[in-house]
Amino acid sequence: MKKLTLSLSTACFGLGLALSQAAQAEPLKIGMITTLSGGGAGLGIDSRDGFLLAIKQSGNKDVTVIVEDDAQKPELAVQIADKMVQSDKVDILTGIVWSNLAMAVVPSVVAQDKIYVSTNAGPSALAGAKCNANYFNAAYQNDNLHEAVGNYANTAGYKKSFILAPNYPAGTDALTGYKRFYKGELAGEVYTKVGQTDYAAEIAQIRASGADSVYFFLPGGMGVAFMKQYSQSGVTIPVTGPGFSFDQDVLGAIGDAALGVKNSSHWSKDLDNEANKAYVEAFKKEYGRLPSLYATQGYDAANLILSAAAKASINDKDTFRAAMKAADFQSVRGKFKFGNNNHPIQDIYMREVIKEDGVLTNKIVATSFTDHQDTYAKDCKL
């Protein structure tokens, strides 16, 4: 694992051992724990690539990034975090994709007065009563994209939705979010196993339920498996989902079965602002592929950290936290600000899967929420 870390930092991005040994007036060491192997690897790889692209573009020679693979295992993520804090002496941690891993790692990290910046996971517990001045979420609160689709379902005329998600914190947040804004009745509510790949039983339930719509949150390979099986089943009930179930990292694997599906996101490659246009082109040039939502959140998270480092020393925690809170950077989302609980207040869009130049991608078709804040902020005492 150590060899992997050095290889990622030096060979690919010039940020590793050689720089960390060089004289640095104000060094900043970032530990990135993310999923680089197993079924969820694509999400972590995108998060890493977006984050490191921003660091590379900055030209900041005082920043070192250590990247390690949690293999989507909470116990391994905890071990890596302990090592990064105690042995590697990192200043900031980031990168966890999965909410169950975040809940295993973040409370201990922030209690040791280390700053944690989320590039994805946004469990409700950390947005509400367990919020912390050392915890910043540069992505969203887990419920947000699901709330947006629940809101959209009303305007689309859906009256009887069948909803399903994996049985872990982000899954329960997902369906809670959908139900918070959806005004119709439920034809069914199912929690599946994390990592499940066979959805024949669930699809049979959907077929028999009398539903007029299906909403699902199944990240990574789970969503790919579900959509392929759903398409092959002959069930024609329309499907909706959050953006990460129909984003660039999975659309190629899903194939044409995804065409026309409406999905929610706080970012899309066709957002009309200069920062986003430059980012999409830079990511394509660097990696030879279009960026995903996960990559974009990693990119914004890195630029958020860099914006604070330009204003304050990490050794002055109060000033550094204030600089983080100010979020004085050019987000590819356009406007970006933090609420009282250090989670974004942001617009959330509805997108449609299309084919563009032979490649499956998304375009914005509506705005579901403007300046949307999560419901748990009211419970945060910050």
Side-chain angles (χ1 to χ4, degrees), residues 338-351:
F338 283 120
N340 63 297
N341 61 349
N342 294 344
H343 283 65
I345 296 174
Q346 59 191 335
D347 296 349
I348 305 178
Y349 310 94
M350 291 303 299
R351 308 183 304 181

Side-chain angles (χ1 to χ4, degrees), residues 279-358:
Y279 158 67
V280 171
E281 289 306 310
F283 192 95
K284 286 166 60 179
K285 182 178 179 181
E286 186 75 22
Y287 301 111
R289 66 185 192 275
L290 288 170
S292 70
L293 182 54
Y294 294 95
T296 303
Q297 292 171 163
Y299 186 80
D300 265 2
N303 279 318
L304 168 66
I305 294 169
L306 290 165
S307 73
K311 291 183 173 183
S313 166
I314 190 63
N315 298 315
D316 182 352
K317 283 289 176 59
D318 287 342
T319 305
F320 195 91
R321 282 189 290 255
M324 290 281 290
K325 187 85 167 189
D328 186 16
F329 72 103
Q330 293 297 309
S331 170
V332 298
R333 288 168 245 185
K335 56 184 178 178
F336 181 103
K337 65 180 179 179
F338 283 120
N340 63 297
N341 61 349
N342 294 344
H343 283 65
I345 296 174
Q346 59 191 335
D347 296 349
I348 305 178
Y349 310 94
M350 291 303 299
R351 308 183 304 181
E352 180 179 343
V353 179
I354 62 169
K355 188 169 281 188
E356 187 176 86
D357 298 325

Side-chain angles (χ1 to χ4, degrees), residues 77 96 102 157 169 227 229 243-244 303:
I96 292 176
M227 278 303 297
Q229 292 165 33
F244 24 69
N303 279 318

Side-chain angles (χ1 to χ4, degrees), residues 83-244:
K83 181 185 77 68
M84 284 185 169
V85 170
Q86 296 163 18
S87 300
D88 297 324
K89 305 297 183 184
V90 300
D91 301 301
I92 296 173
L93 285 96
T94 189
I96 292 176
V97 172
W98 308 89
S99 289
N100 55 332
L101 274 67
M103 289 305 300
V105 168
V106 172
S108 173
V109 166
V110 297
Q112 295 176 74
D113 203 28
K114 296 293 182 181
I115 290 173
Y116 187 92
V117 181
S118 179
T119 57
N120 186 62
S124 54
L126 299 180
K130 293 184 179 180
C131 65
N132 190 285
N134 283 325
Y135 176 74
F136 294 83
N137 190 301
Y140 47 67
Q141 191 280 315
N142 280 349
D143 300 25
N144 291 166
L145 301 194
H146 315 287
E147 292 170 336
V149 186
N151 190 47
Y152 166 78
N154 303 320
T155 63
Y158 297 147
K159 304 292 186 184
K160 195 173 182 181
S161 289
F162 190 105
I163 60 177
L164 69 159
N167 190 17
Y168 78 117
T172 55
D173 285 349
L175 299 193
T176 297
Y178 184 88
K179 291 184 291 183
R180 184 173 291 121
F181 284 85
Y182 172 61
K183 295 177 181 178
E185 62 177 298
L186 293 180
E189 180 175 359
V190 172
Y191 288 95
T192 62
K193 293 180 180 179
V194 176
Q196 183 172 325
T197 56
D198 183 355
Y199 294 95
E202 288 80 9
I203 292 170
Q205 287 179 265
I206 292 168
R207 187 193 301 271
S209 69
D212 64 3
S213 54
V214 176
Y215 179 76
F216 78 90
F217 164 61
L218 294 166
M222 293 181 283
V224 173
F226 174 81
M227 278 303 297
K228 284 186 171 180
Q229 292 165 33
Y230 191 82
S231 177
Q232 293 165 2
S233 73
V235 179
T236 58
I237 302 167
V239 169
T240 59
F244 24 69

Side-chain angles (χ1 to χ4, degrees), residues 35 70-80 98 100-101 104-105:
T35 304
D70 59 38
Q72 206 175 330
K73 298 176 181 177
E75 65 278 7
L76 180 56
V78 169
Q79 292 172 14
I80 296 170
W98 308 89
N100 55 332
L101 274 67
V105 168

